[in-house]
Amino acid sequence: MRATDNQGSFLNRISIRRNQVVSMDNSHEQELEDLDLFQKHVADRFNDLLLPPQTPPSAAAPDSPSSASPSSSLSSPPSLLSIAWFRNLLDAYLCCEAEFKAVLVMGRDPAQFAKPPLDRLIPDLLDRSVKALDICNAVTSGLELVHNWKKQAQIAVTALSQKPIGEGHVRRAKKALNTLLASMAYDDKENNNNHHGKSTDRNWSFGRRGNGGAVVKTGGAKWSVAKSWSAAKQIQAMMANLVAPRGGEPTGLALPVYIMSIVLVFVTWALVAGVPCQERTGLATHFPVQKQLVWAGPVIGLVEKIGEEWKKKEKKGCCGLLEEVQRMERVSLSLVEFAESFKFPMGDEAVDEVAVMVAEMAEVCRKMEEGLVPLQLQVREVFHRIVRSRAEVLDVLDQVGKVNTPVAY
């Protein structure tokens, strides 16, 4: 994957360069070069997410076996807001985060973190990371809900794949689809607390402790959040104080902190829009991004595209913008309509229509079966990466505190 290759060469280059003894001027020039390269990589990754490369028509002949197999989808670009697209999004985040940490921390003099504006920007970034952990947990819970929807859809597929289709098959499919649609229709506040009509408390790994501090879950201890917790408000809070740095900042590191903050907020915002999460009413659709920055174009383009989709769906009561969920809901409604007018025996035309709908639902279930668990694992990886990176930055801040502490004689 090109993004991963770029990341590896970038990190190796920084590691080698910072182990060398260089003059201050040369070091400053190289830091500027590293920053430019970091921005370019961010722009490339988000460009790929906005405009994925098209597969050449000659890559696979229409009649070839590979073009008809399920694995052929791996070579075609994923559509926006599909499970595969979200997996690419999280890959891009992990690559950006690794390069950002190299720019910010690797071989850095801790004293720089005590200078303006980093003395303000770093705590803000750490606070956003805590809020992002809650979002990761909410998204994980939402993906579990989507798993349950897939199970109901699979019941309907199995029932309606029988030949011939009888009244018993239709009743079984209709019951499963009505359960599925009823769950999708729940208010966002209830979606993740009522998987099967039973109220459950959401478990969280971080709680609040003054100044945006966090307490990590240890052993069997768990943190719960009130039902009033809102994913939309969490994203809004993450956007607070998110302002592009002015030119000529003293440390020169304000820009990468701003870039990584935008990347973190965008990724969590997209996940909240795509996956069922608690309370998403009023989810923001505008980001404070300066258009003249080299990486801003693709980010703004993605925000606009996803924001347009969100505005369309929000008015109807939204179960998330995940492409597979949207298709599942649409086909479920059509199949319920068929079930309500079902008469045995079915005519050939009705048989063909149902077969098309069942095939589409089976394809959606297949994509969910293949992609949901890997996506959940990636969300978990993002969670743990944020925890580790936050701890590393806190270690640097701790060093700054020790340096600035006067020695008692």
Side-chain angles (χ1 to χ4, degrees):
M1 183 177 180
R2 185 165 58 86
T4 306
D5 293 340
N6 283 345
Q7 176 197 355
S9 61
F10 180 82
L11 297 179
N12 289 337
R13 178 177 164 186
I14 287 186
S15 178
I16 294 171
R17 191 259 295 169
R18 288 185 178 166
N19 286 329
Q20 296 172 341
V21 179
V22 293
S23 67
M24 290 296 292
D25 289 340
N26 191 28
S27 177
H28 179 67
E29 290 178 2
Q30 289 177 327
E31 286 188 356
L32 291 177
E33 186 178 343
D34 290 339
L35 177 56
D36 288 342
L37 196 57
F38 174 55
Q39 293 188 81
K40 181 182 182 300
H41 287 173
V42 172
D44 289 344
R45 290 177 186 123
F46 279 86
N47 259 322
D48 289 344
L49 292 166
L50 178 64
L51 299 171
Q54 297 298 313
T55 303
S58 59
D63 297 329
S64 67
S66 61
S67 65
S69 66
S71 61
S72 64
S73 60
L74 296 176
S75 61
S76 59
S79 55
L80 183 69
L81 297 171
S82 64
I83 292 174
W85 184 86
F86 275 106
R87 293 189 62 191
N88 287 348
L89 174 67
L90 295 186
D91 277 341
Y93 170 79
L94 291 168
C95 290
C96 291
E97 196 275 342
E99 291 190 12
F100 164 72
K101 193 166 56 177
V103 171
L104 185 72
V105 177
M106 193 179 293
R108 184 72 56 189
D109 179 4
Q112 290 183 294
F113 284 61
K115 301 175 182 178
L118 288 188
D119 60 341
R120 172 181 55 83
L121 296 178
I122 295 298
D124 284 348
L125 180 62
L126 294 178
D127 183 63
R128 286 188 192 97
S129 68
V130 173
K131 293 179 171 63
L133 296 174
D134 278 353
I135 296 294
C136 287
N137 278 332
V139 168
T140 298
S141 183
L143 290 173
E144 290 173 2
L145 180 58
V146 175
H147 268 297
N148 289 327
W149 292 346
K150 191 265 296 181
K151 291 177 182 177
Q152 296 299 323
Q154 190 63 60
I155 291 172
V157 167
T158 301
L160 297 177
S161 296
Q162 305 303 314
K163 298 187 184 303
I165 299 176
E167 292 184 2
H169 304 135
V170 173
R171 283 197 301 270
R172 190 177 307 118
K174 184 179 178 181
K175 181 180 178 181
L177 293 171
N178 280 333
T179 300
L180 166 60
L181 291 171
S183 179
M184 286 182 169
Y186 283 149
D187 183 84
D188 281 347
K189 286 183 180 179
E190 302 299 327
N191 262 342
N192 290 314
N193 291 333
N194 292 281
H195 286 202
H196 297 290
K198 297 180 181 179
S199 178
T200 58
D201 291 330
R202 189 197 299 271
N203 294 324
W204 303 83
S205 297
F206 281 75
R208 306 293 183 271
R209 185 182 65 186
N211 296 328
V215 181
V216 181
K217 179 176 69 176
T218 57
K222 296 178 180 178
W223 291 86
S224 62
V225 69
K227 291 183 179 181
S228 60
W229 185 86
S230 165
K233 291 180 180 178
Q234 192 84 332
I235 295 294
Q236 185 178 359
M238 291 177 69
M239 290 184 179
N241 302 321
L242 192 53
V243 181
R246 297 182 298 272
E249 295 284 9
T251 65
L253 294 175
L255 184 56
V257 173
Y258 170 71
I259 294 172
M260 198 62 219
S261 294
I262 289 289
V263 170
L264 177 62
V265 174
F266 172 78
V267 170
T268 52
W269 172 80
L271 286 169
V272 167
V275 179
C277 287
Q278 180 174 308
E279 183 51 63
R280 294 176 297 177
T281 304
L283 184 65
T285 56
H286 173 72
F287 275 56
V289 181
Q290 289 190 355
K291 295 182 179 180
Q292 69 270 24
L293 298 172
V294 295
W295 49 270
V299 173
I300 293 172
L302 286 167
V303 170
E304 290 176 348
K305 284 180 175 291
I306 297 173
E308 288 172 4
E309 290 300 313
W310 179 257
K311 289 175 182 177
K312 293 177 188 175
K313 304 295 182 182
E314 188 180 23
K315 296 178 182 178
K316 301 178 182 178
C318 182
C319 55
L321 298 180
L322 196 66
E323 182 196 52
E324 288 80 3
V325 169
Q326 294 293 314
R327 291 176 62 193
M328 177 178 284
E329 182 181 29
R330 174 176 54 79
V331 178
S332 295
L333 290 169
S334 297
L335 287 173
V336 167
E337 184 179 347
F338 152 77
E340 290 175 346
S341 60
F342 172 77
K343 291 182 181 179
F344 185 84
M346 294 171 56
D348 292 342
E349 184 177 346
V351 170
D352 292 341
E353 290 178 1
V354 172
V356 170
M357 290 187 286
V358 171
E360 182 175 358
M361 184 70 88
E363 173 67 9
V364 171
C365 290
R366 183 189 66 79
K367 287 187 175 182
M368 287 184 171
E369 184 70 27
E370 292 177 354
L372 282 176
V373 170
L375 180 57
Q376 283 181 299
L377 292 175
Q378 280 179 296
V379 173
R380 183 185 302 176
E381 183 179 358
V382 167
F383 180 99
H384 289 296
R385 176 74 68 83
I386 292 172
V387 171
R388 289 196 299 270
S389 296
R390 190 175 187 277
E392 290 175 18
V393 174
L394 287 173
D395 285 342
V396 175
L397 293 178
D398 186 53
Q399 296 176 37
V400 174
K402 290 178 181 178
V403 169
N404 293 335
T405 302
V407 179
Y409 292 97

